[in-house]
Amino acid sequence: MDSNKKMLSQTLTGGNGIVISLIILAIFLVVAAVAVPSVFQPSNIGNILRVYSPAGIMALGLMLVLLTGEIDISVGGIMSFSIMLSTKVFNQSEPLAIVLLLLVGLGCGFLNGIIITKFKAPSLMVTLGTMSMYLGLAYIVSRAQGFFFTDQHPIVNTLAKGNVGGIPVSFIIYLVLIAICWFMTARTRFGRDIYYTGANKRAAFMSGINIDKVKVIVYMICGVCAALAGPLITAQIGRANPDVGSGYEVTAIAIAVLGGTSLDGGRGSVPGVLCGMVTMAFLMNMLALAGLGTYVEMSIKGVLIIAVVSVYSFVNRRTGVIRDA
Amino acid sequence: MKKQFKKLIVLAVVLCLVVSVALTGCSEAPADTAETDSSQAATPEAAEAAAPEETEAAAPEETTDAATGDADLTALLQEVSGLKDLEALAFFESLADKGLSDAQIIKFFIDLPLSDANQQIHDMYLEEGLDNYAESYPKGEFYDGFEWQSGMGTEIVGEYTGNELKLPFSDDYVPLAEGAVGDGSKTYKIGVLSAGLGDAWIANYQDSIGYEAARHENVELVIMDYDFDMNQFATQMDTLVAQNVDAIITWPMIEASSGPPAQRAEEAGIPVITADRVTAYADVACRVTGNFPANGAQNGMYLIHQLSQETGGEKIKADVVLIRKPAGSTADTIRTGYFLKVCSYFPGINILQSYHDQDNREESFINCQNAFQTFDNIDAVFSGDCNKAAVAYEAAEQAGRLNSREGDKKVIILSIDDSKEVFNMMMDGGKIEMNTPYTPLIGDVQLRATLKILAGEDVPQDIATPDIPMVTLDGSTIFGLKTMTPDDWYQYTFGPPYGS
């Protein structure tokens, strides 16, 4: 059993995902400094951190799922459903609404995890189904009507739009979650179990790890993160719509992958996700401020993401972390 | 390992170069140009329609308009076409003394020919093919010479949303008596191809259809929702044809891609009736058109008037950002085009940048944030709809730029559509200065026209929705047009109650 774990550890420590993430981030920052210096204005940095922190929180939960070798594309649906259900009580009690929202996220994640582990169903297909289900529920509970966040909702407005010492509150929340997740993955047995589960399921099982339990828990964490992102996004724009989460799963996956998380499982790091979020935020912002026009920007974004992922793939193959099938 | 490291460095440098070239090479690009909807220009109808526009741009049409009168308007348009800047402003201001009705004044600004006084706007208008879009958009008449008056309409509770609404044109416009229609022994199955019931505008449009259907016991709706996906639009249109419904009513999001499915339905003998937007297939049974031209033109009127007021009529100068809807959509091309046409008379109007999104509020918000970050001289934001206006305010406030104009004046935010949200923002200390209404509550008109067609009545192919005067904070008079106050129009606004 010990030899199995040793072998897994060697595989895991062979990578340098965080170093690559930092290199890529540095490249983007250098390019931005040369081509679009306005990116570095303090007000702009505050804006992009505020706007992208919710997606970063979502990516953080998703990264844990990816580490186990699974995927969750229902995060956008969870976000929509949880925020629309909680709007039913936002006018009565904000704290209660936030608790409800987190419980809904937890429950949705639990359901995902249970179906995937008990039915041994592929997570891609299961969460594709639950994505549609949660989005449908968001429409049903809201009767397809949006909800306005106004001055009557000071807590959520502060969380989404407030600043402490010039730093967006939503980014501070993100950093706190990063710290918690980093501690969990790097300093606890459960964290190690997550990596082992994704790196080699069979070996993990042989090592006595309850892989089903690990997976259910990470799906629950992922659900909570997705739910938490909801109010942070919607309060910024003043309105929660039932389709608010649509498309965020792609952004979250992109952030996780930009941060060095492998879609094959067992590889990735919490600081890497932070790098991924900052990289994505600067990339998008840099393209926008360059004044290229919406559709040119869209195309270049795609090219750059492909380029970055190719760099990861290239490096991982060269260092032997990913072997040809 | 050393070799691998070298390869990595080379790869990084190449990536760096590609990004740098892309950014520096394109950063001087002008306001982005939307791709012209080629299918429109490609059709014979569009080609025919586009031809006379070149003449119209140089000089207004010589024809008269039976509904509004007016050989007089043609003469006025002829007269203004050679003016620019303060001369044009003086002419606009003189309209108040010419005895024109509000409808005629709106029509004057809609029909205003494009000017080359502002070369940037002139070129942008033509490069984006906005002349083609303007020409191909139906210019319907008001049914039976109808004139809308404030206060008209019917209060309902939307059967789909539960919202309390007031339909501005029920039951006076295209009137149809309650009870069975056509052959009373037959049940008429009407296919409803809805765009996306999760959208508040569309959901309330659906409510207005439901209201009218409920008035006729032999009408049954077969509702489908293509959720803003034009592939689904085609599939669902074909499904309705296969079900052999009696007629299909729809709100076609994109003209080009909705054309072939509409054509297939018509060729199968099923009349298609569109509302608001149009399909590229022009021979549908009926088109209930919205007042997109009036939206854009009135936004232009307000901007010029406001700038004139600020300087005592001495200068018309502003840097403007356009926060637009998806390129190629009727709402974008027509609203923006008519706005630009009014602005084209004033060389001092500078368009800083066009931003498009996919009708997504988060994207609009990020676009607005980027605009305020990129430009430190924004005087006005033209918003393609009320969502964009609301987030433009949010973005300006968060950027600390609300009062960043010369003399600490507030950034002017121009809005279109009429959600309760935007009207509340207007009434909340003038967060938004103006709005040109665009009601979704026209599905009842569309269904009445449909039922008349099925009953064998003669219905014009194009039925225009009456142009509604803009709403300003104080209901002031602008170039002779008496505007409404937020209180005047609030009863007709759509969406859930604000703050609930």
Side-chain angles (χ1 to χ4, degrees), chain A residues 31 41 43-44 47 50-51 91 139 143-145 147-148 161 237 239 285 288-290 292 294-295 304 307 315, chain B residues 8 15 19 26-27 32 160-161 163 197-198 200 327 356 361-362 365 369-370 373-374 394 398 421 496 499-500:
Chain A
V31 173
Q41 288 176 12
S43 61
N44 186 52
N47 270 344
R50 184 183 302 111
V51 167
N91 284 341
Y139 281 109
R143 296 188 72 175
Q145 297 290 291
F147 175 85
F148 296 109
K161 296 192 278 192
I237 55 173
R239 181 169 178 165
N285 185 248
L289 296 188
L292 303 175
T294 309
Y295 299 117
L304 290 178
V315 172
Chain B
L8 180 63
L15 179 66
V19 176
C26 305
S27 60
D32 75 1
Y160 183 72
T161 61
N163 292 161
L197 293 170
H356 290 275
R361 191 162 160 134
E362 292 85 46
F365 177 64
Q369 281 194 323
N370 290 333
Q373 196 60 46
T374 307
E394 284 286 344
Q398 286 186 27
E421 178 187 25
S500 67

Side-chain angles (χ1 to χ4, degrees), chain B residues 144-196:
Chain B
D144 272 352
F146 176 80
E147 279 189 28
W148 183 82
Q149 290 170 353
S150 184
M152 280 182 165
T154 304
E155 291 180 4
I156 67 164
V157 174
E159 67 168 33
Y160 183 72
T161 61
N163 292 161
E164 292 180 3
L165 304 166
K166 186 169 183 180
L167 311 182
F169 310 123
S170 269
D171 305 310
D172 309 298
Y173 194 44
V174 194
L176 184 63
E178 196 167 352
V181 293
D183 178 356
S185 63
K186 179 187 174 186
T187 297
Y188 290 95
K189 286 171 74 174
I190 311 294
V192 181
L193 200 42
S194 199

Side-chain angles (χ1 to χ4, degrees), chain B residues 322-343:
Chain B
L322 310 179
I323 305 294
R324 297 170 58 175
K325 293 171 81 69
S329 65
T330 312
D332 172 58
T333 54
I334 304 294
R335 285 173 174 168
T336 308
Y338 282 85
F339 169 73
L340 291 177
K341 218 150 49 96
V342 175
C343 295

Side-chain angles (χ1 to χ4, degrees), chain B residues 92-170:
Chain B
F92 290 170
E93 284 173 343
S94 74
L95 292 174
D97 306 322
K98 295 189 189 305
L100 302 175
S101 68
D102 284 348
Q104 285 174 312
I105 290 171
I106 294 175
K107 184 162 171 48
F108 170 84
F109 282 97
I110 289 173
D111 290 348
L112 208 56
L114 177 69
S115 167
D116 60 4
N118 183 319
Q119 203 59 47
Q120 181 209 21
I121 291 178
H122 178 269
D123 294 349
M124 183 180 171
Y125 185 88
L126 295 178
E127 281 168 12
E128 292 198 22
L130 298 178
D131 50 343
N132 289 332
Y133 285 105
E135 189 57 37
S136 59
Y137 192 69
K139 294 171 180 63
E141 303 295 345
F142 303 135
Y143 192 87
D144 272 352
F146 176 80
E147 279 189 28
W148 183 82
Q149 290 170 353
S150 184
M152 280 182 165
T154 304
E155 291 180 4
I156 67 164
V157 174
E159 67 168 33
Y160 183 72
T161 61
N163 292 161
E164 292 180 3
L165 304 166
K166 186 169 183 180
L167 311 182
F169 310 123
S170 269

Side-chain angles (χ1 to χ4, degrees), chain B residues 13-329:
Chain B
V13 170
V14 169
L15 179 66
C16 204
L17 283 173
V18 168
V19 176
S20 300
V21 168
L23 291 176
T24 51
C26 305
S27 60
E28 297 303 320
D32 75 1
T33 53
E35 187 181 344
T36 306
D37 185 346
S38 58
S39 69
Q40 291 209 359
T43 60
E45 294 88 347
E48 277 177 25
E53 175 65 15
E54 289 174 17
T55 321
E56 190 183 57
E61 288 177 3
E62 291 298 329
T63 55
T64 59
D65 185 316
T68 49
D70 312 274
D72 286 354
L73 275 190
T74 307
L76 292 176
L77 291 165
Q78 193 86 46
E79 204 176 328
V80 76
S81 62
L83 304 178
K84 70 173 191 177
D85 208 12
L86 296 185
E87 290 173 343
L89 176 66
F91 190 86
F92 290 170
E93 284 173 343
S94 74
L95 292 174
D97 306 322
K98 295 189 189 305
L100 302 175
S101 68
D102 284 348
Q104 285 174 312
I105 290 171
I106 294 175
K107 184 162 171 48
F108 170 84
F109 282 97
I110 289 173
D111 290 348
L112 208 56
L114 177 69
S115 167
D116 60 4
N118 183 319
Q119 203 59 47
Q120 181 209 21
I121 291 178
H122 178 269
D123 294 349
M124 183 180 171
Y125 185 88
L126 295 178
E127 281 168 12
E128 292 198 22
L130 298 178
D131 50 343
N132 289 332
Y133 285 105
E135 189 57 37
S136 59
Y137 192 69
K139 294 171 180 63
E141 303 295 345
F142 303 135
Y143 192 87
D144 272 352
F146 176 80
E147 279 189 28
W148 183 82
Q149 290 170 353
S150 184
M152 280 182 165
T154 304
E155 291 180 4
I156 67 164
V157 174
E159 67 168 33
Y160 183 72
T161 61
N163 292 161
E164 292 180 3
L165 304 166
K166 186 169 183 180
L167 311 182
F169 310 123
S170 269
D171 305 310
D172 309 298
Y173 194 44
V174 194
L176 184 63
E178 196 167 352
V181 293
D183 178 356
S185 63
K186 179 187 174 186
T187 297
Y188 290 95
K189 286 171 74 174
I190 311 294
V192 181
L193 200 42
S194 199
L197 293 170
D199 179 90
W201 197 95
I202 295 292
N204 284 159
Y205 159 71
Q206 186 77 23
D207 283 333
S208 64
I209 295 172
Y211 160 76
E212 189 60 36
R215 294 178 70 231
H216 311 286
E217 60 267 25
N218 62 337
V219 170
E220 181 186 316
L221 300 180
V222 181
I223 300 170
M224 293 196 170
D225 182 358
Y226 65 88
D227 199 21
F228 299 105
D229 177 344
M230 294 312 290
N231 292 323
Q232 280 200 57
F233 177 93
T235 306
Q236 294 180 356
M237 180 75 90
D238 291 343
T239 303
L240 290 171
V241 172
Q243 290 186 13
N244 201 25
V245 294
D246 293 291
I248 296 172
I249 64 179
T250 188
W251 179 92
M253 182 173 70
I254 303 285
E255 291 86 328
S257 44
S258 62
Q263 185 172 0
R264 287 198 292 275
E266 284 284 350
E267 286 172 355
I270 299 173
V272 174
I273 297 88
T274 60
D276 178 31
R277 301 187 180 189
V278 296
T279 73
Y281 179 65
D283 292 336
V284 294
C286 181
R287 304 183 289 189
V288 177
T289 54
N291 41 25
F292 291 129
N295 291 156
Q298 291 188 86
N299 279 29
M301 287 170 69
Y302 181 86
L303 178 63
I304 302 304
H305 172 79
Q306 184 62 24
L307 295 172
S308 160
Q309 293 290 300
E310 287 175 359
T311 60
E314 290 182 0
K315 191 171 62 172
I316 301 295
K317 188 177 182 313
D319 293 306
V320 183
V321 163
L322 310 179
I323 305 294
R324 297 170 58 175
K325 293 171 81 69
S329 65

Side-chain angles (χ1 to χ4, degrees), chain A residues 4 56 59 102 106 124 128 138 141 149 152 162 195 233 251 267 297:
Chain A
N4 284 336
L102 297 177
L106 196 73
L124 178 69
L128 186 64
V141 299
F149 286 103
Q152 298 168 25
Y195 279 100
I233 290 169
T251 307
R267 185 173 161 73
E297 179 191 321

